[in-house]
Amino acid sequence: MPNTSPTANPLREGLTGRAQPEPCSLVIFGASGDLTHRKLVPALYNLAADGALPPAINVVGFARRDKTDELFRRELGEAARKYSRQPVVDALWESFAASICYHRSEFDNLSGYESLAKLLNELDAARGTCGNRLFYLAAAPDQFEVILENLSRSGLNKPVAGGWSRVIVEKPFGNDLPSARHLNDLVEGVFPEKETYRIDHYLGKETAQNIMVLRFANALFEAMWNARYIDHVQITASEPLGVENRAGYYEKSGALRDMVQNHLLQLLCLTAMEPPTGLDADAIRDEKVKVLRSLRPLEGDDVFRHVIRAQYGAGAINGKRVVAYRDEANVDPESTAETYVALQVNVDNWRWAGVPFFVRVGKRLPKAGTEIAVHFKSVPPVLFKATGEAVDDNVLVIRIQPDEGVSLRMSAKMPGSSLRIEPVKMDFHYGTSFGKATPEAYERLLLDAMSGDPTLFARRDEVEEAWKFVDAIHAAWSTRSDDLAFYSAGTWGPTEAEELIKRHGTTWRRL
Ligand code: BG6
């Protein structure tokens, strides 16, 4: 589909992705942290290995600890070897690592930013990075404010020599609506919206991008994508992992803020939105915001009817004993943080009137998997009734991860002289159909930010609308805690969640 927006960057904007990213310096604040090691550097290495990086790039780590460029490169090399999706080839790593350097500074020390500006000018002159700067806020969120302030005071937020200056803000983007607004105001005071890239890494997942293609490039599905034919939708994100070493953050966030406010509502938006007027960033984001505005608010007693929160107890994952959430390191032994949430969401617009979206997410569940399952309505119970054969409903499953793909459950006659109806699956797997591994979300997102394409990043109003919805649930939760359910690690969640979906006459899918 052509990009029809008059304002779109003719080279690369929207989902069309045609141009090379531009030469630039990527400055990572929080360069010693987990995100840099597990995600950002492996993503950059993979882009280098695929020849997808811009012709010139500098990767500058900005952090507090004292270390040399050599040590920093060595640490990142180890991280890349551990977390890269492609095996690291030494020679390639060495050539990529030559673009990496380390800049030591406190986040609140203006002179550290002034010396950064000097370093970036020198790198521009030496390597031809053209004054283009991409600042990645990967530090702890309580540092964002001071970093933004100093970027502004040092003038680093202003483009130099015809280049551009952009900021990528990692999640969590606030922890409720007021804090998200505050952060948005801060960012807005330093970078214009068009240079602001709010990460939601689920949008960078290949299959999340495929939702729009599946819906709008296939006449078959879109014609039936509405309340007339769809009974309900189930969106699941299931993880066997526990809280790991993130208790400090997770105790305050819980599953609703950690996963639903961002990733799962984004998947819901892509599933429910109207066709955009074009593939440019704002056309797509306009449609997603409309979905968020159409969500029926869950407030007061409705929260206890339609939202189930739960926490994992001790249990077993893959045959290995694991402790209860309350016994994890740095977790309050009386914590009420939810590690599981299941909710019924209604999109009150013309297309979706009366179609519930059941959303669930949990840690310490038996299997890793994220999927969207669209359950179609039953056929009229007439023709095959006399045979006594049950006819299963059609279900279209979009597997976001792992084993990315799409399957459609249909009914078929079993071969033989009697009429027996069995469910069968039409199955498309990315791996086998396209024969190549799908890139990691951060690869795509880094590239897009270097290319000036904000389509797969959240806009200010999206983030705020999502918080509005989630905050109302939290407000009800703060009035009591006796609704917190428990489930054993390694099970599919609490029975209360089964009851929730049973009221609609159905059950959760087993992944
Ligand atoms: C992060 C959450 O945003 O997403 C984590 O903070 C979660 O709690 C992770 O584990 C899941 O991401 P992915 O890409 O592994 O599905």
Side-chain angles (χ1 to χ4, degrees), residues 171 201-202 205 239 246 249-250 258-259 263 363 370 401:
K171 83 172 263 265
H201 78 280
Y202 269 53
K205 291 185 190 276
E239 288 182 295
R246 298 165 72 221
Y249 154 75
Y250 203 82
D258 184 46
M259 292 286 288
H263 310 324
K363 292 204 181 280
T370 303
Q401 61 186 23

Side-chain angles (χ1 to χ4, degrees), residues 217-290:
N218 292 290
L220 189 62
F221 301 121
E222 192 50 26
M224 300 181 70
W225 212 257
N226 55 53
R228 196 152 167 217
Y229 296 102
I230 292 176
D231 178 72
H232 73 281
V233 178
Q234 296 186 18
I235 304 181
T236 300
S238 142
E239 288 182 295
L241 288 180
V243 67
E244 307 301 294
N245 53 0
R246 298 165 72 221
Y249 154 75
Y250 203 82
E251 276 282 272
K252 287 190 228 109
S253 93
L256 187 70
R257 288 183 172 126
D258 184 46
M259 292 286 288
V260 177
Q261 185 273 340
N262 36 63
H263 310 324
L264 294 210
L265 285 182
Q266 284 290 344
L267 293 182
L268 187 148
C269 285
L270 290 168
T271 310
M273 71 190 215
E274 295 301 315
T277 53
L279 288 179
D280 56 291
D282 276 335
I284 293 172
R285 298 192 293 182
D286 285 348
E287 295 308 330
K288 287 197 288 164
V289 170
K290 283 191 212 158

Side-chain angles (χ1 to χ4, degrees), residues 145-399:
E145 181 159 357
V146 70
I147 297 171
L148 286 165
E149 197 182 299
N150 281 307
L151 282 174
S152 168
R153 286 171 69 202
S154 60
L156 276 166
N157 59 329
K158 297 273 179 283
V160 289
W164 43 256
S165 195
R166 293 184 187 135
V167 67
I168 302 182
V169 188
E170 237 323 307
K171 83 172 263 265
F173 201 92
N175 43 37
D176 55 12
L177 180 59
S179 58
R181 276 197 180 133
H182 177 66
L183 180 55
N184 269 325
D185 289 344
L186 283 172
V187 177
E188 207 172 86
V190 180
F191 291 93
E193 176 68 29
K194 75 176 187 34
E195 305 294 12
T196 302
Y197 291 72
R198 297 174 193 80
I199 286 261
D200 185 314
H201 78 280
Y202 269 53
L203 291 177
K205 291 185 190 276
E206 194 63 45
T207 359
Q209 295 162 50
N210 191 38
I211 299 172
M212 271 181 60
V213 176
L214 183 82
R215 290 188 52 195
F216 304 128
N218 292 290
L220 189 62
F221 301 121
E222 192 50 26
M224 300 181 70
W225 212 257
N226 55 53
R228 196 152 167 217
Y229 296 102
I230 292 176
D231 178 72
H232 73 281
V233 178
Q234 296 186 18
I235 304 181
T236 300
S238 142
E239 288 182 295
L241 288 180
V243 67
E244 307 301 294
N245 53 0
R246 298 165 72 221
Y249 154 75
Y250 203 82
E251 276 282 272
K252 287 190 228 109
S253 93
L256 187 70
R257 288 183 172 126
D258 184 46
M259 292 286 288
V260 177
Q261 185 273 340
N262 36 63
H263 310 324
L264 294 210
L265 285 182
Q266 284 290 344
L267 293 182
L268 187 148
C269 285
L270 290 168
T271 310
M273 71 190 215
E274 295 301 315
T277 53
L279 288 179
D280 56 291
D282 276 335
I284 293 172
R285 298 192 293 182
D286 285 348
E287 295 308 330
K288 287 197 288 164
V289 170
K290 283 191 212 158
V291 175
L292 292 167
R293 292 203 181 116
S294 308
L295 297 185
R296 186 183 304 166
L298 286 167
E299 292 165 336
D301 284 347
D302 273 349
V303 169
F304 301 101
R305 254 195 307 279
H306 296 300
V307 187
I308 306 299
R309 57 171 157 166
Q311 195 184 75
Y312 62 80
I317 297 281
N318 295 330
K320 219 175 126 217
R321 299 296 305 166
V322 294
V323 299
Y325 177 73
R326 287 179 177 179
D327 293 328
E328 299 270 17
N330 303 321
V331 168
D332 175 355
E334 290 176 19
S335 170
T336 55
E338 78 286 357
T339 58
Y340 176 100
V341 56
L343 62 163
Q344 176 182 334
V345 181
N346 279 79
V347 182
D348 281 340
N349 64 15
W350 191 275
R351 185 191 283 258
W352 295 111
V355 180
F357 285 69
F358 292 101
V359 174
R360 70 178 157 158
V361 54
K363 292 204 181 280
R364 288 287 189 230
L365 301 187
K367 216 172 150 187
T370 303
E371 63 163 45
I372 300 164
V374 179
H375 290 245
F376 289 88
K377 289 193 165 157
S378 309
V379 290
V382 284
L383 203 52
F384 298 109
K385 202 171 162 196
T387 67
E389 283 291 297
V391 178
D392 286 323
D393 301 334
N394 294 132
V395 182
L396 180 74
V397 180
I398 304 169
R399 293 188 302 274

Side-chain angles (χ1 to χ4, degrees), residues 92-107:
L92 195 55
W93 170 260
E94 291 309 325
S95 97
F96 166 66
S99 65
I100 300 177
C101 60
Y102 187 73
H103 186 73
R104 199 209 81 80
S105 170
E106 297 298 321
F107 292 134

